[in-house]
Amino acid sequence: MNSIVDLVICSFYVLASVNLGATLLGILKIKSVPGVSPSALIATAFLLGQVGLVAIWTVLGLLAVFSPIAIKTILIICFLGGMIFAWPLYFAALSSLWTEVRFLSGKPVIWKIIALLVLLTISVEGVTAFVAPPRGDAEAFYLPIAKVMAASERLVALPGFEAFSQTGLFGELHFAVLISMGSLQAAKLYVWFTALAAAVILVGIGSQIGLRYRGQLIVLAMVFTSSTFFDYISDGKVDLFAAALGLTAYYWALQFGGGRRNSSIALIGLFSGMSIVAKLPYLLVVLPAVFLLVVWRYLAVANLR
């Protein structure tokens, strides 16, 4: 019974994240963009919702009103209020998924087997994230500081780790919320959903550079058979939050120069900045690459005019 409750809590938090992100995309007037797949758009909404929620949780934590009642109230508002914006994204993503399944059904058996093995690997990693205990840095810092915030109902440094607590807290705040709602396992499982979003965005990048279904399937296989990726999913660390945000910044940098340039700039800035907040060393990785991609897209579009 506890496992079912944990799944429900995590699923509700994922949906609230997507719905808030869809609302923010609606504010930015991004409902559909030529060249952007429905799956990439809903992954963007999910990660943008994470950004929005972290901003809210930071304010609540600083005001010392990081209580379960306040958290649940905000999540219900995000879930219900964002449904009108999110429903078209859900419908488009499900339709796209069904189209992909039908497309794959007509391919050689070997590729069907590979697809099933990739799906099985992803599922096993989700189960592992859900049931495995935290390890390493997650057990020493990421989850303890989340537990302290949930128990104290405010944003507070972890005793003995004050220097580390001065860096940006992104995944830790999501952990704190889910722990405040009574589920440590839901906090760990949320990393798996974030990993899925990162993988979807990476496949979207592959699609942008010309990968077809075989290449995209190989990308998925490469990601989820990576021992590092698997460890980050299963042990409860926060590295994949930063990775997902950084990849999404790259993805939208590749969209720069098309329609709604101001909206794409806003997304590039948000995802680049928050990836650095989530993991400070990404300053050396994300910003130079995003800058180069934006300049390249600008020059490419300018040459076409």
Side-chain angles (χ1 to χ4, degrees):
M1 182 60 71
N2 288 337
S3 296
I4 295 175
V5 172
D6 292 337
L7 284 171
V8 170
I9 290 173
C10 187
S11 299
F12 175 68
Y13 194 60
V14 169
L15 292 174
S17 302
V18 174
N19 289 8
L20 175 59
T23 302
L24 296 175
L25 286 177
I27 293 173
L28 292 172
K29 301 186 184 305
I30 299 177
K31 295 182 179 179
S32 62
V33 179
V36 176
S37 68
S39 57
L41 196 58
I42 201 167
T44 298
F46 174 51
L47 296 169
L48 186 59
Q50 288 188 2
V51 171
L53 287 173
V54 161
I56 295 171
W57 305 145
T58 300
V59 172
L60 293 186
L62 291 173
L63 295 176
V65 289
F66 195 72
S67 65
I69 293 177
I71 288 170
K72 291 174 184 177
T73 300
I74 288 172
L75 288 177
I76 290 172
I77 292 172
C78 291
F79 177 78
L80 296 178
M83 187 58 74
I84 188 172
F85 293 98
W87 177 247
L89 296 185
Y90 291 130
F91 181 79
L94 289 173
S95 299
S96 176
L97 179 61
W98 177 242
T99 300
E100 292 296 328
V101 170
R102 293 179 61 187
F103 178 76
L104 186 60
S105 66
K107 296 302 175 181
V109 174
I110 183 62
W111 289 102
K112 295 177 186 177
I113 294 174
I114 292 174
L116 288 174
L117 289 174
V118 171
L119 182 60
L120 178 62
T121 301
I122 294 172
S123 301
V124 168
E125 293 185 10
V127 173
T128 304
F130 188 59
V131 302
R135 304 189 308 271
D137 292 346
E139 187 178 18
F141 178 75
Y142 300 124
L143 288 169
I145 192 173
K147 291 178 181 178
V148 170
M149 286 190 286
S152 63
E153 299 185 0
R154 62 192 179 96
L155 193 59
V156 61
L158 183 65
F161 291 86
E162 287 81 5
F164 293 100
S165 302
Q166 294 177 24
T167 59
L169 301 175
F170 190 93
E172 296 90 340
L173 281 167
H174 291 302
F175 288 171
V177 168
L178 289 162
I179 291 171
S180 179
M181 295 171 69
S183 180
L184 173 62
Q185 296 310 115
K188 288 187 74 266
L189 184 60
Y190 193 66
V191 177
W192 179 72
F193 282 102
T194 302
L196 285 179
V200 168
I201 293 295
L202 187 58
V203 168
I205 292 173
S207 176
Q208 290 290 312
I209 62 174
L211 292 183
R212 308 297 288 271
Y213 82 94
R214 294 180 180 178
Q216 294 172 25
L217 192 55
I218 290 172
V219 167
L220 277 179
M222 290 171 61
V223 169
F224 284 100
T225 57
S226 163
S227 58
T228 300
F229 202 74
F230 174 74
D231 286 342
Y232 285 161
I233 290 174
S234 61
D235 65 9
K237 293 179 69 175
V238 299
D239 299 66
L240 290 182
F241 289 98
L245 295 168
L247 285 172
T248 309
Y250 294 163
Y251 182 83
W252 284 96
L254 289 171
Q255 312 303 319
F256 181 78
R260 305 196 184 285
R261 177 179 294 183
N262 291 338
S263 298
S264 64
I265 290 175
L267 290 177
I268 293 167
L270 278 170
F271 286 120
S272 298
M274 292 308 293
S275 70
I276 296 167
V277 169
K279 206 72 176 177
L280 187 59
Y282 275 49
L283 175 66
L284 302 176
V285 179
V286 173
L287 288 187
V290 166
F291 175 76
L292 290 175
L293 287 172
V294 169
V295 170
W296 170 67
R297 285 293 301 160
Y298 176 81
L299 293 176
V301 172
N303 289 334
L304 291 174
R305 292 176 178 172

